[in-house]
């Protein structure tokens, strides 16, 4: 039987606030365990939480960019469960009345655009972090350590509709969303560090069937690459069970990225298991409309708007997408274009040689002393005919390696293109003289030989001849 895959994602993003969700402890990653804690975030008796306004602002900004409706009133709720990383035995989250609802995000997979519904965006607090000794998870571990630094970190949860139809779509959705969140500067969206996490609900149903099949939830997806892998593994498992006439059990499953398989963790909880009720210590979130409008005005250019603008500057669609996916590269292009460089040329250099250099040397463009003005300078030298493309590449690598200005490198090396045509003509005549066989072939009608002769001129000038001038002068020398 042919099955259709149905996927919905819950993405959790840690918000870039200075302090935690309901207390003034610093919200930062990588500190000594259990140092950024206080009576509020460790759930001591008699304390009162206070909502972090910045977290509300960042979540509203996200909701607006996702075309959601920001609700006039939303309520925090207590979600009860018992786990060693949760000192209060409850998590403050939002349940019946979330911050924002009913939006969408457009994704593009292999040139096809699709709108994925966003069910809701809500705020909650993060739990602590368990560090297991001797195993990757609590089951099978010799012991587990608890770090409460993360407890109470502001989390935003973005829940999608079950609109995704393949593991690949799910991966593209998550990457598109993460990129949007980086543009909005609401999170750094690093899956490997846990500042962005993704739980996936997946089910299969016979093609044409309107009713959803039984779903499972996949957890422990720790990288963008793992999303597609985890869902492919779970999709395959569903298909095998169903095609053998078996039934899927609704449960939470753990993805092991070494074996690339999922294993059962626990029976899926239902909402009533959490005994949700409104948090009595917090007032509802009622953002004034004027404030929402002010937040809306702070949303800058969004990734897809930027892509459209780059395409308008004659950058190819695929190149524009690559640049927009890497904000520092896109910022670099904008800065270079402002200095007069042509966008498609800048795009080629950025995606080509500059990215290759950064990858090879495991460096970030921002970490090199190579500002946009230097690339603009280099491109001007090519356009003016001072540098050939080949020499310009050498200058680029020297600039990237040493951090020296392009002008200085060019002046010191004498690598400028030979513009004295008399000098070039002499070299052309010598090339003709020393390659009689090829000259004969050329004169016999084999025009492709010209490439070889131009190559010889490049060799003789160490790449300092302009290829067009070389071709023209060779033809002159050939008579
Ligand atoms: Zn605290």
């Amino acid at each position: 039987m042919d099955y259709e895959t149905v996927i919905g994602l819950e993405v959790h993003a840690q918000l870039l606030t200075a302090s935690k969700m309901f207390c003034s402890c610093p919200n930062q990653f990588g500190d000594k365990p259990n140092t950024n804690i206080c009576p509020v975030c460790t759930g001591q008796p008699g304390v009162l939480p206070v909502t972090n306004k910045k977290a509300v602002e960042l979540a509203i900004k996200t909701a607006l960019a996702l075309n959601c409706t920001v609700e006039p009133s939303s309520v925090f709720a207590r979600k009860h469960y018992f786990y060693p990383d949760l000192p209060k035995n409850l998590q403050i989250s939002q349940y019946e009345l979330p911050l924002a609802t009913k939006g969408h995000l457009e994704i593009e997979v292999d040139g096809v655009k699709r709108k994925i519904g966003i069910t809701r965006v809500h705020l909650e607090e993060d739990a602590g972090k368990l560090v297991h000794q001797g195993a990757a998870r609590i089951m099978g571990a010799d012991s587990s350590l608890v770090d409460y630094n993360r407890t109470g970190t502001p989390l935003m949860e973005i829940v999608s509709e079950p609109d995704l139809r393949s593991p690949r779509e799910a991966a593209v959705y998550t990457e598109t969303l993460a990129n949007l969140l980086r543009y909005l500067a609401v999170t750094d969206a690093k899956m490997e560090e846990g500042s962005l996490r993704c739980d996936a609900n997946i089910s299969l149903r016979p093609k044409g069937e309107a009713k959803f099949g039984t779903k499972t939830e996949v957890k422990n997806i720790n990288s963008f690459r793992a999303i597609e892998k985890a869902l492919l593994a779970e999709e395959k498992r569903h298909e095998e069970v169903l095609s053998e006439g078996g039934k899927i059990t609704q449960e939470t499953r753990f993805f092991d990225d070494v074996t690339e398989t999922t294993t059962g963790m626990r029976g899926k909880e239902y909402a009533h298991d959490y005994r949700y009720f409104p948090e009595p210590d917090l007032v509802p979130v009622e953002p004034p409309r004027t404030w929402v409008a002010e937040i809306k005005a702070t949303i800058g250019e969004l990734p897809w708007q930027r892509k459209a603008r780059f395409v308008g500057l004659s950058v190819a669609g695929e190149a524009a997408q690559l640049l927009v996916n890497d904000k520092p590269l896109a910022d670099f292009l904008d800065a270079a274009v402002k200095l007069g460089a042509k966008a498609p040329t800048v795009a080629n250099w950025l995606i080509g040689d500059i990215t290759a250099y950064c990858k090879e040397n495991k460096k970030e463009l921002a970490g090199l002393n190579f500002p946009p003005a230097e690339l603009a300078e280099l491109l001007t030298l090519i356009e003016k005919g001072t540098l050939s493309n080949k020499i310009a590449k050498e200058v680029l690598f020297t600039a990237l390696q040493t951090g020296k200005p392009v002008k200085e490198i060019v002046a010191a090396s004498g690598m400028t293109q030979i513009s004295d045509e008399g000098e070039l003509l002499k070299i052309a005549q010598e090339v003709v003289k020393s390659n009689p066989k090829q000259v004969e072939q050329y004169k016999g009608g084999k025009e492709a030989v010209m490439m070889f002769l131009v190559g010889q001129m490049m060799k003789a000038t160490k790449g300092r001849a302009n290829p067009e001038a070389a071709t023209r002068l060779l033809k002159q020398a050939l008579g």
Side-chain angles (χ1 to χ4, degrees):
M1 191 186 293
D2 261 0
Y3 292 101
E4 180 179 52
T5 302
V6 176
I7 299 168
L9 294 181
E10 291 168 12
V11 171
H12 290 87
Q14 280 181 351
L15 294 170
L16 288 172
T17 55
S19 56
K20 291 189 182 179
M21 189 67 222
F22 300 112
C23 63
S24 57
C25 289
N27 171 26
Q28 52 195 41
F29 177 81
D31 284 348
K32 211 170 149 245
N34 298 312
T35 51
N36 299 331
I37 55 173
C38 76
V40 175
C41 55
T42 54
Q44 306 301 311
V47 296
L48 281 176
V50 178
T51 305
N52 184 331
K53 187 180 175 191
K54 189 73 190 175
V56 177
E57 179 194 320
L58 298 181
I60 289 177
K61 193 174 175 186
T62 306
L64 292 171
L66 288 169
N67 312 290
C68 290
T69 304
V70 176
E71 297 296 336
S73 180
S74 71
V75 170
F76 284 107
R78 291 188 174 183
K79 177 182 182 180
H80 299 82
Y81 67 96
F82 184 78
Y83 209 65
D85 61 4
L86 196 70
K88 287 191 292 212
N89 292 336
L90 65 91
Q91 178 193 26
I92 304 179
S93 181
Q94 293 190 303
Y95 179 55
E96 276 176 322
L97 298 168
L99 184 82
T101 56
K102 291 195 193 77
H104 65 262
L105 176 67
E106 190 173 81
I107 62 167
E108 189 175 332
V109 182
D110 303 325
V112 181
K113 287 183 180 168
R114 285 198 59 216
K115 258 185 198 170
I116 306 303
I118 303 290
T119 316
R120 58 193 275 158
V121 176
H122 75 240
L123 279 166
E124 59 189 31
E125 57 178 344
D126 208 346
K129 195 176 162 65
L130 292 177
V131 184
H132 307 298
Q133 312 289 306
R137 54 199 281 204
I138 203 160
M139 280 157 82
D142 301 328
S143 63
S144 299
L145 303 169
V146 194
D147 177 5
Y148 288 129
N149 280 355
R150 201 176 74 180
T151 310
T153 292
L155 268 192
M156 171 173 66
E157 180 170 340
I158 300 163
V159 183
S160 86
E161 289 289 308
D163 286 347
L164 297 155
R165 289 292 170 266
S166 69
R168 181 148 152 68
E169 275 192 6
V172 172
Y173 166 85
T174 315
E175 277 165 26
T176 308
L177 179 59
N179 197 34
L180 170 67
L181 300 180
R182 281 188 216 109
Y183 267 72
L184 296 170
V186 297
T187 174
D188 57 17
K190 287 182 184 159
M191 281 196 91
E192 287 77 3
E193 284 182 8
S195 60
L196 192 88
R197 278 166 265 154
C198 171
D199 298 331
N201 287 295
I202 178 169
S203 65
L204 264 61
R205 61 182 170 192
K207 265 198 180 143
E209 169 71 56
K211 229 179 90 196
F212 291 131
T214 305
K215 67 182 176 183
T216 53
E217 182 176 7
V218 186
K219 284 189 180 286
N220 194 46
I221 302 175
N222 293 328
S223 68
F224 288 105
R225 252 173 2 107
I227 295 168
E228 193 168 355
K229 281 187 184 170
L231 286 167
L232 279 171
E234 189 57 7
E235 182 183 54
K236 192 171 151 229
R237 192 185 69 84
H238 277 234
E239 196 168 355
E240 279 167 6
V241 170
L242 294 174
S243 53
E244 281 164 16
K247 272 195 176 137
I248 294 290
T249 313
Q250 182 163 337
E251 62 178 348
T252 301
R253 296 182 68 87
F254 179 91
F255 176 64
D256 183 330
D257 59 4
V258 178
T259 59
E260 293 186 9
T261 53
T262 69
T263 47
M265 263 173 102
R266 55 174 192 252
K268 167 79 189 164
E269 302 83 355
Y270 294 88
H272 63 254
D273 294 330
Y274 290 122
R275 294 171 291 129
Y276 279 102
F277 67 77
E279 166 62 68
D281 290 342
L282 289 166
V283 292
V285 179
E286 293 177 341
R289 294 292 101 182
T290 46
W291 188 44
V292 174
E294 277 167 35
I295 296 169
K296 191 167 192 174
T298 66
I299 298 176
E301 187 178 36
L302 297 174
W304 46 89
Q305 294 164 338
R306 196 173 210 185
K307 182 186 169 188
R309 184 165 59 78
F310 283 178
V311 169
L313 293 170
S314 304
V315 177
E318 218 170 293
Q321 189 63 55
L322 281 173
L323 290 166
V324 164
N325 288 349
D326 191 336
K327 190 166 179 288
L329 284 189
D331 291 343
F332 194 102
L333 180 127
D334 268 332
V337 168
K338 243 188 202 150
L339 293 164
K342 292 196 176 95
T345 322
V346 176
N348 283 343
W349 283 75
L350 277 177
I351 292 168
D353 295 286
I354 294 175
T355 298
Y357 177 88
C358 291
K359 264 192 192 153
E360 223 166 85
N361 296 283
K362 297 197 172 65
K363 281 185 176 161
E364 300 277 334
L365 180 56
L368 303 168
N369 189 21
F370 188 74
E374 291 300 315
L375 183 63
E377 171 76 36
L378 189 70
L379 299 183
T380 310
L381 291 173
I382 300 172
E383 219 166 275
K384 281 200 298 198
T386 314
L387 294 181
S388 67
N389 244 307
K390 184 168 172 285
I391 298 286
K393 277 186 188 187
E394 284 173 30
V395 172
L396 172 77
F397 286 120
T398 312
L400 293 174
Q401 262 166 358
T402 62
K404 283 184 184 162
V406 164
K407 258 190 187 152
E408 197 183 308
I409 298 164
V410 173
S413 66
M415 291 195 290
T416 50
Q417 228 163 221
I418 300 169
S419 49
D420 181 345
E421 297 229 337
E423 195 183 329
L424 274 182
L425 182 59
K426 258 187 226 159
I427 299 166
Q429 285 160 343
E430 245 152 66
V431 166
V432 168
K433 207 188 282 174
S434 46
N435 294 286
K437 210 176 103 196
Q438 282 79 7
V439 168
E440 201 176 307
Q441 284 172 344
Y442 179 77
K443 287 189 172 164
K446 239 184 149 182
E447 286 191 12
V449 175
M450 181 54 81
M451 294 274 283
F452 168 82
L453 296 173
V454 171
Q456 293 304 301
M457 276 204 57
M458 285 300 176
K459 215 167 149 192
T461 58
K462 297 201 172 68
R464 290 170 59 223
N466 175 314
E468 279 164 38
T471 312
R472 184 160 43 76
L473 294 167
L474 274 168
K475 281 184 181 161
Q476 193 180 324
L478 286 162

